[in-house]
Every structure is written in C-alpha cells, then in structure tokens.
Amino acid sequence: MERKFIPLSVPNIKGNELEYVTEAVKDEWVSTGGSYIETFEKNVAEYVHVEKTVAVQSGTAGLHLALIQSGVGLGDEVITATLTFIAAVNPIRYVGAEPIFMDCDDTLCLDPIKVEQFIEEECTFEEGKLINNRSKKHIKAILGVHVFGNLLDMEKLMNIANKYNLKFIEDATEALGSYYTNGSYKGQFAGTIGDFGVFSFNGNKIMTTGGGGMILAKNKEDLDYVRYLSTQAKDDTLNFIHGDVGYNYRMTNLQAALGVGQLERLEDFIATKKANYHLYKELLESNEKVELMEFKQNIRPNYWFYALNIKGNPDIQLFIHKLQAEKIQTRPIWGLIHEQKPYKKSQSYKIEKADYYVNHILNIPCSSNLTQEEVCYVSECVKELL
Ligand SMILES: *Cc1c(COP(=O)(O)O)cnc(C)c1O
C-alpha cells in the first residue's frame, strides 16, 4: 500500500463542527452577528477561567487592537522577540511604533534576563516612563510570544513590566491550553496574565476556525473598548454614529460555529499531541545527532509544535528535501525578524541564541490526527537520513 503524505500540521475536523456550521448556514446567520459568536467567546472564557473574551478575524487583528488599547502609537517603541512568526511584530508597525528585538533563551521564548539587562544598560526610567537612550523614544510595552505552546517566564517578565510601567501583551496564538502548574501563576492559562492576551485559530494552530482570533484583557473596560473597535466603533447602530476609528475585525458566526465544535475537542487534541510527543522522544532518544526540545517543567503545555534540535552543523534545507522525498513535511524555524527586509534598520540587542536555533531547529509532523505508526515512520526516516 502506498504511504500517505504526512503533513506538518493540519486541521482535525471530525466532531460536531459540521453540524454547527450547517446550522449557522441554514439559519442564514453567516456574518458578524449570530449566537455562535457569543457562545464561542463564553466557552473559551470558561476554558481559560476568565470572565470575557472578544472574538476577532485573526490573531494578527487581535494583536493590532491590543496594541492600540495599550496606548502604543506613533513614535513609541515595543520590546519584542526576533525568533517568532512575523505576524507577532507587524502590528507594532501598524500603530506607527518601532520594535526593539530581543534574543530567546533555551526554551525559544523571549529571554527575560536580556530584556532586563537591556533596560538597565540602555534605557533611562524617569517620571514613570522608560526611555530608550539611543532613540530617545518612549518604550511602552513588551510583546512576548509563547513559542510552540511552551510558556514565557511570565513571573520574571511581569516583574519587569510592573517595575518599568510597561504594558504586557501576550501573544498566546500558539499556546491555547497551556498553563502553569507551579509558581505564582499556578493554574493560570497562557493569555490570561498580561494586560492583554491573544489567541489565533488559523488553520495550523491547535484548533481552528479557518481563520480567527480572540482577545483577552485584564481590565474589563479595555476589553469592552476592544470589542467596540472591532465592530467599526458604532455608538448608535441605527443612525451610523461612530465615536472612534473602528475596524472590521469581528469574527463571523460561521467561524465561531466551527470554533465551538473545535473547542469541544481541544483537550483530546492535546492528549494526542502529548502522547505523540512522548513517543517521538522515546524513539529519538538514543540518537546523538538530534534532541527533541523539551517543554518547561513547571507547566502543562499544549504540545502544539515539536522542535528537533539538530546538533553539529546541519544542512537543514537538504534534510527537509530528503524527508519530503519520503513523503514527510517538515520546516525550518522562522527567519529571524530583525534580519527581514522591513526590520533591518530596527534596533536589536545581543542576539546570540536565536542565531544558533535558526540554523538547528526543524519542526516535524505534529497534527492531532497523526498516528503512532506515522510517528514511528518519521522517527525512522529522521534517524536514517540525518
Ligand atoms: C499564528 C501566529 C500569529 C497570527 O495569527 P493569525 O491568526 O494567523 O493572524 C501571530 N503570532 C504568532 C507567534 C503566530 O504563530
């Protein structure tokens, strides 16, 4: 029998999703009104133990609104990561601000020690404002990414944010379902700790609404205003009175119907991803050339993406092609953002580990419908072809 192609990460839509979407279509509530939107918001809020959420069109839109509501605007600066997907950074430019790029640590997440060092060595804190000595600009926020479902060191980062009067935006687009099992944030989910948290439901995320996102906020008024901005800032829905420059960012009922069905299965997805992660770990353990990157100890990760750290001096591109020939889709980690064309002139601080990881990380198949047999096959090919 011919082997099926093994994709990196694809949706898994086999529960009640079709029924719910069909209902939305039959009811002809397909746009930005309809009861699935509120149900989806409520169900996600319950899942991560917060009061309310706001569903939007994408994670990118969510980050955009979070930055606006954080008061980040023209001429301001935001501390962020270089090792991330570019959608985490672009919204900083949408609001007219500039990113300052930081290194990652060995969890691939923002390094809190370097963030603090940068602030102490290169900035001045006066009258409640953090000023970048080089640019003389006001640093207003930290935008941190919970990479691959691992969690940021929020304890250290929130201490820094509080000390220097910075807003903290959690890009939790990859980390829905991850939470701390120890420390001062024990029991708290990714996205619920900073001033704002953002989820994504794009096709390759742990659960999908086709495209979609969600915003969480510590402060209820902030969240209400974000909802208002996401729906064209209407003050009066009948007479077209608008109190601000709004956006068409609201999630549609069709997307939300899909989301309600997906959320019912999220814990099952995580269980499968966890089992497959441990199987990969066991099968690859004996090989000295690779190491399956660990998730942090004091967390319950969602096991979204698996990262292989290939030792030595690997030719990642060649390896990807070899695996492709065996019907296995893999990919390198993202190109560093401070080296991308739109950000070459932006400031960066002591990027070292990200430089290493960008040349050594390979993401391997991790879909929630990946079978154990496929995990064994991928592991065999990795060992043979490396
Ligand atoms: C997916 C992703 C986003 C963007 O989410 P969309 O819903 O695709 O707009 C932002 N940041 C990171 C780190 C992501 O992985």
Side-chain angles (χ1 to χ4, degrees), residues 57-63 83-89 91 143 145-148 171-174 198-205 211-213 304 331 334:
Q57 290 281 344
S58 67
T60 309
L63 290 166
L83 187 71
T84 182
F85 181 48
I86 200 163
V89 177
L143 195 161
V145 181
H146 298 288
V147 174
F148 295 158
D171 178 332
T173 52
E174 305 181 354
V198 176
F199 297 134
S200 165
F201 309 112
N202 211 330
N204 73 339
K205 298 301 201 280
W304 178 57
R331 64 160 211 207
W334 314 283

Short mmCIF file of all heavy atoms in Angstrom, two decimals, residues 57-63 83-89 91 143 145-148 171-174 198-205 211-213 304 331 334, ligand 1:
data_model
loop_
_atom_site.label_atom_id
_atom_site.label_comp_id
_atom_site.label_asym_id
_atom_site.label_seq_id
_atom_site.Cartn_x
_atom_site.Cartn_y
_atom_site.Cartn_z
N GLN A 57 -11.21 38.47 13.74
CA GLN A 57 -10.95 37.80 12.46
C GLN A 57 -9.65 37.02 12.40
O GLN A 57 -9.48 36.13 11.59
CB GLN A 57 -10.92 38.86 11.34
CG GLN A 57 -12.25 39.47 11.01
CD GLN A 57 -13.09 38.55 10.15
OE1 GLN A 57 -12.58 37.61 9.57
NE2 GLN A 57 -14.37 38.82 10.06
N SER A 58 -8.68 37.42 13.21
CA SER A 58 -7.38 36.74 13.17
C SER A 58 -6.60 37.10 14.43
O SER A 58 -6.93 38.08 15.12
CB SER A 58 -6.57 37.18 11.94
OG SER A 58 -6.20 38.54 12.05
N GLY A 59 -5.57 36.32 14.69
CA GLY A 59 -4.66 36.66 15.78
C GLY A 59 -3.98 37.99 15.52
O GLY A 59 -3.78 38.81 16.43
N THR A 60 -3.63 38.22 14.25
CA THR A 60 -2.97 39.47 13.88
C THR A 60 -3.86 40.67 14.21
O THR A 60 -3.39 41.67 14.79
CB THR A 60 -2.67 39.47 12.36
OG1 THR A 60 -1.99 38.25 12.03
CG2 THR A 60 -1.80 40.65 11.97
N ALA A 61 -5.15 40.58 13.88
CA ALA A 61 -6.10 41.66 14.21
C ALA A 61 -6.19 41.84 15.72
O ALA A 61 -6.25 42.97 16.23
CB ALA A 61 -7.48 41.34 13.63
N GLY A 62 -6.16 40.73 16.45
CA GLY A 62 -6.21 40.79 17.91
C GLY A 62 -5.01 41.54 18.47
O GLY A 62 -5.15 42.38 19.37
N LEU A 63 -3.84 41.25 17.94
CA LEU A 63 -2.63 41.93 18.41
C LEU A 63 -2.67 43.42 18.07
O LEU A 63 -2.24 44.26 18.86
CB LEU A 63 -1.38 41.28 17.80
CG LEU A 63 -1.07 39.87 18.32
CD1 LEU A 63 -0.05 39.17 17.43
CD2 LEU A 63 -0.56 39.92 19.77
N LEU A 83 12.91 35.82 17.35
CA LEU A 83 12.58 34.46 16.95
C LEU A 83 11.08 34.24 17.12
O LEU A 83 10.61 33.82 18.18
CB LEU A 83 13.36 33.44 17.80
CG LEU A 83 13.21 31.99 17.33
CD1 LEU A 83 13.94 31.75 16.02
CD2 LEU A 83 13.69 31.01 18.39
N THR A 84 10.35 34.56 16.07
CA THR A 84 8.90 34.41 16.11
C THR A 84 8.36 34.48 14.69
O THR A 84 9.10 34.74 13.74
CB THR A 84 8.23 35.51 16.97
OG1 THR A 84 6.82 35.29 17.01
CG2 THR A 84 8.48 36.90 16.41
N PHE A 85 7.07 34.24 14.57
CA PHE A 85 6.41 34.46 13.28
C PHE A 85 6.18 35.97 13.13
O PHE A 85 5.84 36.65 14.11
CB PHE A 85 5.08 33.69 13.27
CG PHE A 85 4.33 33.82 11.98
CD1 PHE A 85 4.96 33.63 10.76
CD2 PHE A 85 2.98 34.13 11.99
CE1 PHE A 85 4.25 33.76 9.57
CE2 PHE A 85 2.27 34.26 10.80
CZ PHE A 85 2.91 34.07 9.60
N ILE A 86 6.36 36.48 11.93
CA ILE A 86 6.36 37.92 11.71
C ILE A 86 5.03 38.59 12.08
O ILE A 86 4.99 39.79 12.37
CB ILE A 86 6.79 38.24 10.25
CG1 ILE A 86 7.27 39.70 10.13
CG2 ILE A 86 5.65 37.92 9.27
CD1 ILE A 86 8.06 39.98 8.88
N ALA A 87 3.94 37.81 12.10
CA ALA A 87 2.63 38.38 12.46
C ALA A 87 2.60 38.91 13.88
O ALA A 87 1.74 39.71 14.23
CB ALA A 87 1.53 37.32 12.29
N ALA A 88 3.54 38.46 14.71
CA ALA A 88 3.61 38.98 16.08
C ALA A 88 4.15 40.41 16.08
O ALA A 88 3.83 41.21 16.96
CB ALA A 88 4.50 38.09 16.94
N VAL A 89 4.97 40.73 15.10
CA VAL A 89 5.70 42.01 15.09
C VAL A 89 5.04 43.06 14.21
O VAL A 89 4.99 44.24 14.57
CB VAL A 89 7.16 41.77 14.62
CG1 VAL A 89 7.93 43.08 14.55
CG2 VAL A 89 7.87 40.78 15.55
N PRO A 91 2.05 44.13 13.68
CA PRO A 91 1.09 45.07 14.26
C PRO A 91 1.74 46.24 15.02
O PRO A 91 1.14 47.30 15.16
CB PRO A 91 0.26 44.19 15.21
CG PRO A 91 0.34 42.83 14.60
CD PRO A 91 1.74 42.74 14.07
N LEU A 143 5.92 42.87 24.06
CA LEU A 143 5.05 41.91 23.38
C LEU A 143 5.81 40.58 23.34
O LEU A 143 6.80 40.45 22.62
CB LEU A 143 4.72 42.42 21.97
CG LEU A 143 3.55 41.74 21.23
CD1 LEU A 143 3.05 42.62 20.10
CD2 LEU A 143 3.91 40.37 20.69
N VAL A 145 5.98 36.27 23.07
CA VAL A 145 5.32 35.16 22.37
C VAL A 145 5.57 33.84 23.12
O VAL A 145 6.71 33.52 23.43
CB VAL A 145 5.88 35.02 20.93
CG1 VAL A 145 5.18 33.88 20.19
CG2 VAL A 145 5.76 36.33 20.17
N HIS A 146 4.50 33.11 23.40
CA HIS A 146 4.62 31.76 23.98
C HIS A 146 4.90 30.79 22.83
O HIS A 146 3.97 30.29 22.20
CB HIS A 146 3.33 31.35 24.68
CG HIS A 146 2.93 32.23 25.83
ND1 HIS A 146 3.58 32.23 27.03
CD2 HIS A 146 1.93 33.15 25.95
CE1 HIS A 146 2.99 33.09 27.86
NE2 HIS A 146 1.99 33.66 27.23
N VAL A 147 6.16 30.55 22.54
CA VAL A 147 6.55 29.86 21.30
C VAL A 147 6.22 28.36 21.32
O VAL A 147 6.59 27.65 22.27
CB VAL A 147 8.06 30.06 21.05
CG1 VAL A 147 8.53 29.23 19.86
CG2 VAL A 147 8.37 31.53 20.83
N PHE A 148 5.54 27.91 20.29
CA PHE A 148 5.23 26.48 20.07
C PHE A 148 4.40 25.85 21.19
O PHE A 148 4.39 24.62 21.35
CB PHE A 148 6.51 25.65 19.88
CG PHE A 148 7.31 26.00 18.65
CD1 PHE A 148 8.67 25.69 18.57
CD2 PHE A 148 6.73 26.62 17.56
CE1 PHE A 148 9.41 25.98 17.45
CE2 PHE A 148 7.47 26.93 16.42
CZ PHE A 148 8.82 26.62 16.36
N ASP A 171 1.34 37.23 23.25
CA ASP A 171 0.96 36.56 22.01
C ASP A 171 0.85 35.08 22.35
O ASP A 171 1.85 34.36 22.40
CB ASP A 171 2.03 36.82 20.93
CG ASP A 171 1.72 36.12 19.62
OD1 ASP A 171 1.05 35.07 19.66
OD2 ASP A 171 2.17 36.59 18.56
N ALA A 172 -0.39 34.68 22.64
CA ALA A 172 -0.65 33.28 23.03
C ALA A 172 -1.27 32.53 21.86
O ALA A 172 -2.00 31.55 22.04
CB ALA A 172 -1.56 33.24 24.25
N THR A 173 -0.97 33.00 20.65
CA THR A 173 -1.58 32.42 19.44
C THR A 173 -1.22 30.94 19.27
O THR A 173 -1.95 30.21 18.62
CB THR A 173 -1.13 33.18 18.18
OG1 THR A 173 0.30 33.26 18.19
CG2 THR A 173 -1.71 34.58 18.14
N GLU A 174 -0.09 30.52 19.84
CA GLU A 174 0.35 29.13 19.68
C GLU A 174 0.11 28.33 20.96
O GLU A 174 0.48 27.16 21.02
CB GLU A 174 1.85 29.11 19.34
CG GLU A 174 2.17 29.95 18.12
CD GLU A 174 3.64 29.93 17.74
OE1 GLU A 174 4.45 29.36 18.49
OE2 GLU A 174 3.97 30.49 16.69
N VAL A 198 -3.71 37.20 23.38
CA VAL A 198 -4.32 36.99 22.06
C VAL A 198 -4.15 35.53 21.63
O VAL A 198 -3.05 34.97 21.72
CB VAL A 198 -3.68 37.93 21.01
CG1 VAL A 198 -4.25 37.65 19.61
CG2 VAL A 198 -3.92 39.39 21.39
N PHE A 199 -5.26 34.93 21.17
CA PHE A 199 -5.23 33.58 20.60
C PHE A 199 -5.41 33.67 19.08
O PHE A 199 -5.95 34.66 18.57
CB PHE A 199 -6.37 32.72 21.16
CG PHE A 199 -6.30 32.48 22.64
CD1 PHE A 199 -7.44 32.61 23.43
CD2 PHE A 199 -5.12 32.09 23.24
CE1 PHE A 199 -7.38 32.38 24.80
CE2 PHE A 199 -5.05 31.86 24.61
CZ PHE A 199 -6.19 32.01 25.39
N SER A 200 -4.98 32.61 18.39
CA SER A 200 -5.24 32.51 16.95
C SER A 200 -5.89 31.16 16.67
O SER A 200 -5.55 30.16 17.29
CB SER A 200 -3.95 32.61 16.14
OG SER A 200 -4.16 32.16 14.81
N PHE A 201 -6.84 31.18 15.72
CA PHE A 201 -7.48 29.93 15.29
C PHE A 201 -7.25 29.72 13.79
O PHE A 201 -8.13 29.30 13.07
CB PHE A 201 -8.98 29.97 15.60
CG PHE A 201 -9.28 30.36 17.03
CD1 PHE A 201 -9.89 31.56 17.32
CD2 PHE A 201 -8.92 29.51 18.08
CE1 PHE A 201 -10.17 31.92 18.63
CE2 PHE A 201 -9.19 29.87 19.39
CZ PHE A 201 -9.81 31.08 19.67
N ASN A 202 -6.06 30.06 13.34
CA ASN A 202 -5.71 29.82 11.95
C ASN A 202 -5.60 28.31 11.70
O ASN A 202 -5.60 27.52 12.64
CB ASN A 202 -4.38 30.53 11.63
CG ASN A 202 -4.35 30.96 10.17
OD1 ASN A 202 -4.96 30.31 9.31
ND2 ASN A 202 -3.65 32.02 9.87
N GLY A 203 -5.50 27.94 10.43
CA GLY A 203 -5.59 26.53 10.05
C GLY A 203 -4.56 25.61 10.69
O GLY A 203 -4.82 24.43 10.88
N ASN A 204 -3.38 26.12 10.98
CA ASN A 204 -2.34 25.23 11.53
C ASN A 204 -2.22 25.31 13.04
O ASN A 204 -1.38 24.66 13.64
CB ASN A 204 -0.99 25.52 10.86
CG ASN A 204 -0.38 26.82 11.33
OD1 ASN A 204 -1.07 27.69 11.84
ND2 ASN A 204 0.91 26.97 11.16
N LYS A 205 -3.07 26.11 13.69
CA LYS A 205 -2.99 26.22 15.14
C LYS A 205 -3.64 25.00 15.80
O LYS A 205 -4.22 24.16 15.13
CB LYS A 205 -3.65 27.53 15.60
CG LYS A 205 -2.96 28.80 15.06
CD LYS A 205 -1.50 28.88 15.47
CE LYS A 205 -0.92 30.28 15.40
NZ LYS A 205 -0.52 30.76 14.08
N GLY A 211 -9.95 30.88 9.87
CA GLY A 211 -9.10 32.00 10.27
C GLY A 211 -9.84 32.64 11.41
O GLY A 211 -11.07 32.69 11.41
N GLY A 212 -9.13 33.12 12.40
CA GLY A 212 -9.82 33.76 13.51
C GLY A 212 -8.88 34.00 14.66
O GLY A 212 -7.77 33.48 14.69
N GLY A 213 -9.36 34.80 15.59
CA GLY A 213 -8.54 35.10 16.77
C GLY A 213 -9.40 35.51 17.93
O GLY A 213 -10.64 35.60 17.80
N TRP A 304 1.79 21.93 21.09
CA TRP A 304 1.37 22.30 19.74
C TRP A 304 2.38 21.89 18.66
O TRP A 304 2.04 21.20 17.71
CB TRP A 304 1.10 23.81 19.65
CG TRP A 304 0.72 24.25 18.26
CD1 TRP A 304 -0.32 23.79 17.52
CD2 TRP A 304 1.39 25.21 17.45
NE1 TRP A 304 -0.35 24.40 16.28
CE2 TRP A 304 0.69 25.28 16.22
CE3 TRP A 304 2.51 26.04 17.64
CZ2 TRP A 304 1.08 26.14 15.20
CZ3 TRP A 304 2.89 26.89 16.62
CH2 TRP A 304 2.17 26.93 15.41
N ARG A 331 9.72 21.65 8.40
CA ARG A 331 10.10 23.01 8.03
C ARG A 331 11.12 23.55 9.03
O ARG A 331 11.18 23.12 10.18
CB ARG A 331 8.88 23.93 7.97
CG ARG A 331 8.21 24.10 9.30
CD ARG A 331 7.34 25.36 9.36
NE ARG A 331 7.35 25.85 10.73
CZ ARG A 331 6.38 26.57 11.29
NH1 ARG A 331 5.31 26.87 10.59
NH2 ARG A 331 6.48 26.99 12.53
N TRP A 334 11.24 29.92 11.88
CA TRP A 334 11.12 31.18 11.15
C TRP A 334 12.46 31.88 10.94
O TRP A 334 13.34 31.80 11.79
CB TRP A 334 10.24 32.15 11.93
CG TRP A 334 8.99 31.55 12.47
CD1 TRP A 334 7.87 31.26 11.77
CD2 TRP A 334 8.72 31.18 13.83
NE1 TRP A 334 6.92 30.72 12.61
CE2 TRP A 334 7.42 30.67 13.87
CE3 TRP A 334 9.46 31.23 15.01
CZ2 TRP A 334 6.83 30.20 15.06
CZ3 TRP A 334 8.88 30.77 16.18
CH2 TRP A 334 7.59 30.27 16.21
C1 LIG B 1 -0.19 32.37 14.02
C2 LIG B 1 0.54 33.43 14.72
C3 LIG B 1 0.10 34.76 14.71
C4 LIG B 1 -1.00 35.27 13.87
O1 LIG B 1 -2.19 34.69 13.96
P1 LIG B 1 -3.21 34.78 12.69
O2 LIG B 1 -4.48 34.29 13.26
O3 LIG B 1 -2.64 33.89 11.64
O4 LIG B 1 -3.28 36.20 12.26
C5 LIG B 1 0.80 35.68 15.46
N1 LIG B 1 1.88 35.34 16.17
C6 LIG B 1 2.36 34.08 16.17
C7 LIG B 1 3.56 33.77 17.00
C8 LIG B 1 1.72 33.08 15.44
O5 LIG B 1 2.21 31.84 15.43
#
